[in-house]
Amino acid sequence: MAGPPPQRPHEPVPGNPYAQPVTRPVTQPVPSPKRRTGAVAWVVVGAVIAAVGVGAGAYALLKEDDDRRSGGFRAPVARESGAPGEPSGSGERTDAPGRPEQPVRRVDVNAARKSGESKGWLDLNGVKLPGKGAMLGDLWTVDGGASGKGGALVVQALYDTVTAYRARDGAKAWTLRLPDKVCDTPVDTAPGGHVVVAYGNGSTSGSGKCNQLQQIDLRTGEKGWHRELKEHDLSDSTSTVHLAMTGSTVTVGQGDIAHGYRVSDGKRLFSSKRERVGACFLRDVAGGARLLYVESCAAGAPKAHGRVKNVDPSTGDVRWQYRTRNGWSVDKVYSVDPLVLAVRNKDDYDKWAVVSVDGRGRERAWIPLDRGPYAYEMCDGAGDAGEGVQNCPGGVVGDDSLYLSTEPKDGILGPNKLVAYDLATGKRRWAAAVRGRQLLPVRQAGDGKRSGVVVYVRAQHGKTGRTVRFPASGGAPDVLLRHSTPAQKWEADMFAGETLYGGGRIFVAPSRLGPEGLGGKKEQGRLVSFGR
């Protein structure tokens, strides 16, 4: 049986100085020098941040009076007395004993906050990481029940550890260590606060398998069912596995096959079938309001194209499908409902567009992004880096609009704009800026989402971060949160690899952590949050 076609090499993520330089096959077009993909570029970023304090300037639309005035296995994490640590009765769960970790110092980001600044909390990383560091998983929020003492929790996986924090104060509700590193997490969770993660098989042979599934109750940190993924041939390899949660189903993209499992008990519900016509191969799965298969078809042929299938999450039956234009592949999914895709031209790597698709698989609007008054980088220059098709910073969907951040003027840390596109017509609705600052649209979680777009105003050395909301019609933003001055340097070093807004709080995390941190720092901020 023929295997899947070669895929584009993975690329580094912003804020990741540990990524290896990308070597592209000669058959792939080479990106232009403007793309921020090299490991060296991010080392330079760290040096620039530390040495020159990029970010001088003032808001045009926001008042900044305060800024102007001021110029394998492991044992439980040890913390200094008084650190934002475990509440009474919090759980530290593991399968086996191991070596102790170094104590984690407490950083109080409220001690010297100024008038009008929001209260927040910061957690420094205490997870021991391998020599090249590790990527952080998706951020999830859930009602904590007894573990959160009635409040919400925010949960994230790092290497072999899944950690839950009380959203309001950052105290750890529970910590769960798995037998091997977590190799994929889904963007969404199942109703009731459960999630399924994938982790490795602990092999020392260098096989690099990602073949263990573990269900976790995010409210308590308790393990549910466990399942090992089986391989039969090259079509269902577990070298790369991606997960998607849709209602009560978790779908596993395993090689060229997708398998659906019931979240409650792990029972397999369906498996995708290889089509004999069209030479299409599964690339990834996406979840949330819909279950999608993302496929690559006729690779290398003149009519090479991408395909997206809308699949019934209970049966695996295909409801409808969308086929891209010839010569275009599906790279990322900005939204599953409405369906909004980032597509790339197979002959010109820097030529990309966004396409909106209606509820029957028909193209609504095509938005070319390689021309016009603004320059963009897909996923804010993050590339793939082994993450799923739904991991794409720099763009969010809401109000039947796509909100995109433009490429910074200096290519790395400079100011940029936020631009809104109409998903029905493809026309640009408006563009806005906060003078001298870099903007990043933020994914929202939970019910009661308001109209407009939540935007993170990146923290820079010399400038505190902000959370604002731009109206759907454009215009001046409302300030939701003014981040505290004591958190500024930690927040700036994170470079906002992962952001989430929910329940009146913003959560900011780096995309990747290294064993010594950027610029040789041993202490690294893992997660910072601010709220009303």
Side-chain angles (χ1 to χ4, degrees), residues 48-63:
V48 170
I49 292 174
V52 303
V54 176
Y59 282 114
L61 301 176
L62 304 182
K63 187 177 179 182

Side-chain angles (χ1 to χ4, degrees), residues 424-446:
T425 65
K427 294 182 179 179
R428 190 171 59 250
R429 283 181 167 171
W430 50 263
V434 174
R435 191 175 64 195
R437 303 301 293 267
Q438 192 171 120
L439 309 179
L440 180 71
V442 175
R443 181 169 63 94
Q444 296 187 62

